Amino acid sequence: MKNSVFLNTDREMPLLGLGVYKATGDNEAEDAVCAAVRAGYRLVDTASVYKNEEGVGRGIARCGIPRKDLFITTKVWNTAQRLGDIQGSFVRSLERLNLDYIDLYLVHWPVPGCYLSTWKEMESILDSGRALAIGVSNFEIRHLEELRKVSGIVPAVNQIECHPLCYPKDLIDYCQDNGIQVQAYAPLARGAYLDHDVLCVLATKYGRTTAQIGLRWAVQKGISVIPKSVNPERIASNGNIFDFSIEQEDMDILDTLNENYHSASVPEDLRDILF
């Protein structure tokens, strides 16, 4: 299986990336980026709200891989949306990352009353060439439909929580039918399924870890994954998912595990008004 996908911009994006949420300790993000690159990763996903873009930038500078061979994602936070400070937030992210451009810039959450105007600013950033693709995160079908009414630019990516315990098939089908690449954050459900009986049985069958089974399930559906770890051994293990396939009957079994379980929480300022 190929380990990358083409976005609707005709640029390739790796199916596997490193997430760095909560990697805020001394040199934690920097060291994780370097460990991931050594393990073959070429995509790193961060966000302004993670407070570690500087560390990611140091890792990019230190890892020894040419910038053009890396795919870097960051995101605009809710506060900047409410302030209408999309351009300023983007520039600050560039400065913290010490980069001239971002491969993918995402709207982190569909803040009511803001996300449509945010998208217009994102279009401007795309036109400037400082972001090579723009997309969204945590958008439901209704949000994507609203975007389509006001913009001719289809998001390149919708980043959502997705794993065997959280499989929003209707949303994934909508995205795939409309040329929007789905990317799964928290694809390990922050450990919630690693001891699940079905995953354990399949891990034994395929001679893999339960994490590798869950990640392989997603990429076999064409969904990009960005598992978070700062442990070099675990980073390497999580990336070892492209040299085996899960049989269709086992994929079907994994599909039945969905219980709409969300390991990630909705930001407090959106909890009562968004979902």
Side-chain angles (χ1 to χ4, degrees):
M1 177 181 182
K2 198 168 184 233
N3 60 5
S4 64
V5 290
F6 276 97
L7 302 178
N8 59 24
T9 58
D10 287 332
R11 292 190 71 248
E12 278 189 279
M13 182 179 79
L15 273 170
L16 171 72
L18 176 73
V20 295
Y21 175 63
K22 288 191 173 179
T24 54
D26 291 344
N27 300 321
E28 205 170 36
E30 177 183 349
D31 291 345
V33 169
C34 291
V37 167
R38 285 195 301 272
Y41 291 60
R42 293 297 180 265
L43 187 157
V44 179
D45 176 275
T46 185
S48 61
V49 76
Y50 297 170
K51 307 298 184 188
N52 59 15
E53 287 173 315
E54 293 96 337
V56 170
R58 290 194 301 271
I60 293 167
R62 194 182 113 202
C63 72
I65 297 295
R67 169 68 183 97
K68 65 181 178 61
D69 295 331
L70 297 173
F71 192 104
I72 309 301
T73 300
T74 192
K75 314 175 192 76
V76 61
W77 184 241
N78 306 341
T79 307
Q81 291 193 63
R82 292 193 177 97
L83 294 173
D85 188 29
I86 312 308
Q87 300 282 347
S89 181
F90 178 76
V91 168
R92 290 190 292 276
S93 284
L94 275 182
E95 290 173 347
R96 288 190 290 262
L97 288 161
N98 195 27
L99 297 177
D100 296 324
Y101 69 93
I102 300 295
D103 295 273
L104 176 64
Y105 196 45
L106 300 180
V107 183
H108 208 147
W109 285 89
V111 177
C114 297
Y115 69 89
L116 296 180
S117 57
T118 294
W119 188 250
K120 286 297 182 185
E121 292 296 323
M122 301 282 281
E123 291 179 351
S124 174
I125 291 169
L126 178 67
D127 288 341
S128 76
R130 295 173 298 162
L132 303 186
I134 56 175
V136 297
S137 182
N138 299 298
F139 275 47
E140 300 288 337
I141 292 173
R142 68 182 185 277
H143 304 123
L144 296 168
E145 282 289 301
E146 289 299 315
L147 272 193
R148 189 159 74 166
K149 290 176 186 175
V150 301
S151 174
I153 296 179
V154 177
V157 168
N158 187 15
Q159 191 182 104
I160 59 173
E161 180 164 358
C162 179
H163 45 74
L165 303 183
C166 180
Y167 178 37
K169 189 174 185 305
D170 288 347
L171 175 58
I172 291 167
D173 287 347
Y174 175 93
C175 289
Q176 293 179 338
D177 289 346
N178 286 278
I180 303 169
Q181 175 63 40
V182 177
Q183 187 172 63
Y185 70 77
L188 301 177
R190 303 192 178 153
Y193 65 75
L194 299 186
D195 295 321
H196 193 288
D197 288 348
V198 171
L199 273 295
C200 289
V201 167
L202 292 178
T204 299
K205 175 179 177 178
Y206 290 95
R208 297 286 168 160
T209 67
T210 50
Q212 288 168 339
I213 295 295
L215 295 171
R216 178 66 201 186
W217 168 84
V219 299
Q220 211 162 298
K221 291 178 175 292
I223 297 169
S224 173
V225 293
I226 47 172
K228 182 258 175 170
S229 180
V230 296
N231 179 291
E233 290 76 24
R234 206 165 296 129
I235 289 170
S237 178
N238 289 342
N240 190 20
I241 56 174
F242 293 105
D243 60 348
F244 78 105
S245 294
I246 300 173
E247 296 171 7
Q248 187 57 51
E249 62 182 3
D250 293 330
M251 289 288 287
D252 293 342
I253 290 169
L254 288 166
D255 288 355
T256 68
L257 302 184
N258 176 48
E259 53 188 60
N260 298 316
Y261 171 79
H262 287 268
S263 63
S265 59
V266 177
E268 206 168 298
D269 60 345
L270 294 178
R271 207 163 289 156
D272 296 331
I273 57 177
L274 195 54
F275 297 110

